[in-house]
């Protein structure tokens, strides 16, 4: 109330007016900041809801396509099912809450078409939607990259995550804890892909969208396959020595069988990769202080400690698998054509050889006869020979 002259029977001084003005400005700034934070929080919620809808729609369409393929194989004349996007949207209803009129009007101008979200909160990097994986191509500052110790993946296909794991290892070297929620982890073999990381101390697999956690022995398989990491926690539970022993008992024979069935050239390739890791670590260790090297001893064990038998347990993404199938088909087609050409050529040579064997006796007699007739007259034969030599000159 700028026009107020007196308050509580006392005259208002200029100092009081100045102090009141400063306080009012601070309150206004605080209110604007609070409004901004509420707006950002609500935009984040809307974006995550939108990503969730897109994810649910993709899963429904994929499930319908799989079901339809099975039905088509059984009854080809059946009409295909139709998918209504509104059904997927209804699975993630908008959250309702009491918002002030100003915030509600501001939210009307927000774009909720975002299909991914990248957020760093404290030491956690959260990625929502497959588009968020592109953030790993950014030039992150050294300080920001070193702070991140936990990476959370939500509403992203695990096969897409596998493709960026090398980037994750390079961009965020201190990431020790991985979280997966709604990533379609459906089989134990997928955990093999995590072996290419530098280090993993904790692993959290949310049951939502990851059917693999329904397997009784999934934790033991993780401990077995990633034993060189020295895992400390899985889904918040401490890993004990008994857990490691049980994991080895359950799956040790699996690695032995896999390595014994692997072709020799693949074994050589895997051993080559292991030696490259060891050589690279030794090169990186040169020039470092002894104290630093001793601190990284445990990490070096993780780098070089992956058992060769375990290394044979790999995971191939569906996309790469289909590409390999196409490549194998092309190779088979080429080999078939090549062998057919060889067979045709060998058959033709054999037919010619058989014909020659039949004709050769008569041909030999004719050759001998022609030679005898040719040299029967010695003088004429000598003249003919001289004539041929002259013609050649």
């Amino acid at each position: 109330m700028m026009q107020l002259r007196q308050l509580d029977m006392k005259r208002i001084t200029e100092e009081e007016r100045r102090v009141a003005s400063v306080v009012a400005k601070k309150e206004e700034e605080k209110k604007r900041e609070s409004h901004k934070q509420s707006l950002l929080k609500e935009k984040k919620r809307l974006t995550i809801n939108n990503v969730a809808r897109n994810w649910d729609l993709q899963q429904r369409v994929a499930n319908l396509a799989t079901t339809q393929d099975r039905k088509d194989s059984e009854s080809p004349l059946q009409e295909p099912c139709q998918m209504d996007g509104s059904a997927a949207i209804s699975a993630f209803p908008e959250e309702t809450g009491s918002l002030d009129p100003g915030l509600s009007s501001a939210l009307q101008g927000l774009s909720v078409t975002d299909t991914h979200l990248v957020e760093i909160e404290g030491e956690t990097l959260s990625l929502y939607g497959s588009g968020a994986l592109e953030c790993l191509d950014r030039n992150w500052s050294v300080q920001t990259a070193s702070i991140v110790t936990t990476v959370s993946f939500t509403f992203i296909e695990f096969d897409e995550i596998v493709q960026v794991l090398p980037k994750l290892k390079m961009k965020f070297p201190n990431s020790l804890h991985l979280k997966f929620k709604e990533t379609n982890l459906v089989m134990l073999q997928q955990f093999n892909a995590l072996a290419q990381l530098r280090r993993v101390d904790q692993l959290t697999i949310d049951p939502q969208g990851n059917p693999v956690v329904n397997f009784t022995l999934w934790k033991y398989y993780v401990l077995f396959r990633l034993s060189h990491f020295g895992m400390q926690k899985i889904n918040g539970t401490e890993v004990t020595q008994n857990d490691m022993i049980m994991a080895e008992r359950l799956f040790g024979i699996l690695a032995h069988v896999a390595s014994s069935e692997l072709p020799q050239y693949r074994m050589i390739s895997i051993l080559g990769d292991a030696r490259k890791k060891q050589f690279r670590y030794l090169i990186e260790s040169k020039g470092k202080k002894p104290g630093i090297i001793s601190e990284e001893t445990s990490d070096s064990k993780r780098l070089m400690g992956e058992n060769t038998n375990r290394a044979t347990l790999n995971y191939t993404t569906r996309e790469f698998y289909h590409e390999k199938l196409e490549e194998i088909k092309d190779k088979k087609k080429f080999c078939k054509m090549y062998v057919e050409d060889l067979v045709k050529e060998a058959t033709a040579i054999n037919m010619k050889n058989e014909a020659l064997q039949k004709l050769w006796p008569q041909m030999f007699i004719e050759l001998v006869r022609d030679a005898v007739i040719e040299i029967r007259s010695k003088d004429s034969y000598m003249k003919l020979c001289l004539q041929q030599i002259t013609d050649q000159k």
Side-chain angles (χ1 to χ4, degrees):
M1 300 176 65
M2 301 301 296
Q3 303 301 322
L4 191 64
R5 300 294 181 182
Q6 290 186 348
L7 179 64
D8 291 339
M9 305 302 292
K10 293 181 180 180
R11 186 177 180 82
I12 299 174
T13 63
E14 291 300 322
E15 179 65 19
E16 289 175 330
R17 291 182 184 279
R18 188 185 65 78
V19 172
S21 177
V22 171
V23 172
K25 287 181 179 179
K26 288 184 178 180
E27 288 294 329
E28 187 66 25
E29 289 177 0
K30 185 178 180 181
K31 186 182 294 185
R32 283 199 297 265
E33 183 64 26
S34 176
H35 180 82
K36 180 181 177 182
Q37 293 300 323
S38 299
L39 195 63
L40 291 175
K41 185 177 180 181
E42 186 64 14
K43 183 177 181 180
K44 172 186 171 182
R45 185 186 67 81
L46 293 175
T47 301
I48 293 177
N49 277 348
N50 189 51
V51 174
R53 290 192 192 93
N54 290 336
W55 170 262
D56 187 66
L57 181 60
Q58 291 173 9
Q59 301 310 304
R60 288 170 181 261
V61 170
N63 291 337
L64 281 178
T66 304
T67 305
Q68 189 60 40
D69 289 341
R70 293 175 182 171
K71 290 182 179 180
D72 289 343
S73 62
E74 296 173 0
S75 54
L77 298 179
Q78 188 173 359
E79 290 294 328
C81 298
Q82 298 297 324
M83 177 62 193
D84 185 1
S86 61
I89 294 177
S90 63
F92 292 90
E94 290 287 346
E95 297 178 8
T96 58
S98 56
L99 300 176
D100 60 81
L103 182 58
S104 298
S105 61
L107 286 175
Q108 293 177 0
L110 284 178
S111 170
V112 293
T113 59
D114 294 335
T115 57
H116 66 272
L117 176 67
V118 179
E119 180 187 41
I120 292 184
E121 186 174 357
E123 298 179 349
T124 302
L125 170 65
S126 300
L127 307 177
Y128 299 86
S130 60
L133 297 177
E134 297 177 1
C135 77
L136 298 178
D137 293 325
R138 297 179 187 173
N139 293 323
W140 295 89
S141 66
V142 177
Q143 182 179 3
T144 302
S146 60
I147 289 175
V148 174
T149 59
T150 301
V151 181
S152 175
F153 301 95
T154 309
F155 303 121
I156 308 174
E157 284 283 350
F158 186 79
D159 283 3
E160 296 183 30
I161 298 174
V162 171
Q163 299 175 17
V164 300
L165 287 179
K167 295 179 183 179
L168 180 66
K169 178 174 63 176
M170 180 178 63
K171 294 287 185 178
F172 302 99
N174 295 329
S175 57
L176 308 176
H177 186 186
L178 297 182
K179 294 182 177 181
F180 299 93
K181 181 179 180 181
E182 292 283 4
T183 56
N184 273 342
L185 271 164
V186 297
M187 55 184 175
L188 299 178
Q189 188 183 6
Q190 290 173 293
F191 290 115
N192 298 342
L194 301 180
Q196 60 183 299
L197 291 172
R198 186 167 181 259
R199 180 180 173 185
V200 178
D201 285 356
Q202 295 187 52
L203 190 65
T204 301
I205 311 296
D206 196 292
Q208 186 175 345
N210 295 308
V212 72
V213 299
N214 296 323
F215 298 154
T216 306
L217 303 179
W218 76 271
K219 292 183 180 179
Y220 291 114
Y221 183 80
V222 170
L223 292 176
F224 168 76
R225 183 60 186 88
L226 306 179
S227 60
H228 58 292
F229 287 151
M231 196 84 67
Q232 297 177 6
K233 287 184 179 181
I234 296 181
N235 279 14
T237 304
E238 293 282 349
V239 176
T240 64
Q241 187 63 31
N242 290 335
D243 293 333
M244 299 299 297
I245 295 173
M246 180 60 71
E248 186 66 32
R249 286 179 179 175
L250 289 171
F251 296 102
I253 189 63
L254 176 64
H256 175 71
V257 172
S259 60
S260 61
E261 294 295 328
L262 205 66
Q264 186 178 5
Y265 75 92
R266 286 288 295 123
M267 285 295 296
I268 294 174
S269 174
I270 291 172
L271 288 172
D273 292 339
R275 288 169 181 166
K276 286 178 185 177
K277 288 182 181 179
Q278 183 176 5
F279 179 73
R280 184 169 63 250
Y281 176 77
L282 293 175
I283 292 297
E284 291 174 354
S285 299
K286 285 185 177 181
K288 291 185 178 180
K289 297 180 180 179
I292 297 176
I293 296 176
S294 62
E295 291 174 1
E296 295 182 350
T297 302
S298 59
D299 197 36
S300 68
K301 290 180 180 179
R302 290 185 176 91
L303 277 172
M304 299 183 292
E306 185 178 8
N307 186 279
T308 304
N309 289 346
R310 289 177 173 82
T312 60
L313 300 172
N314 295 315
Y315 174 64
T316 303
T317 62
R318 281 170 290 187
E319 182 180 353
F320 185 72
Y321 177 72
H322 291 314
E323 290 179 359
K324 279 292 183 183
L325 284 181
E326 291 298 324
E327 184 179 346
I328 291 173
K329 288 180 181 178
D330 292 340
K331 287 181 177 179
K332 284 184 177 180
K333 184 178 179 181
F334 171 78
C335 291
K336 183 179 179 181
M337 294 175 60
Y338 184 71
V339 171
E340 286 178 351
D341 291 340
L342 290 178
V343 170
K344 290 179 181 178
E345 185 177 355
T347 303
I349 293 173
N350 185 61
M351 292 177 64
K352 292 177 181 179
N353 185 46
E354 290 180 355
L356 178 62
Q357 294 301 323
K358 292 178 181 180
L359 297 176
W360 176 246
Q362 183 62 29
M363 290 176 61
F364 183 76
I365 293 174
E366 293 177 359
L367 289 172
V368 172
R369 184 194 61 192
D370 293 343
V372 172
I373 293 173
E374 191 175 17
I375 65 174
R376 182 171 55 183
S377 175
K378 187 175 181 181
D379 293 338
S380 61
Y381 179 70
M382 292 175 63
K383 289 180 181 180
L384 178 63
C385 291
L386 288 172
Q387 185 62 37
Q388 290 177 349
I389 293 174
T390 304
D391 294 339
Q392 287 177 358
K393 293 182 178 181

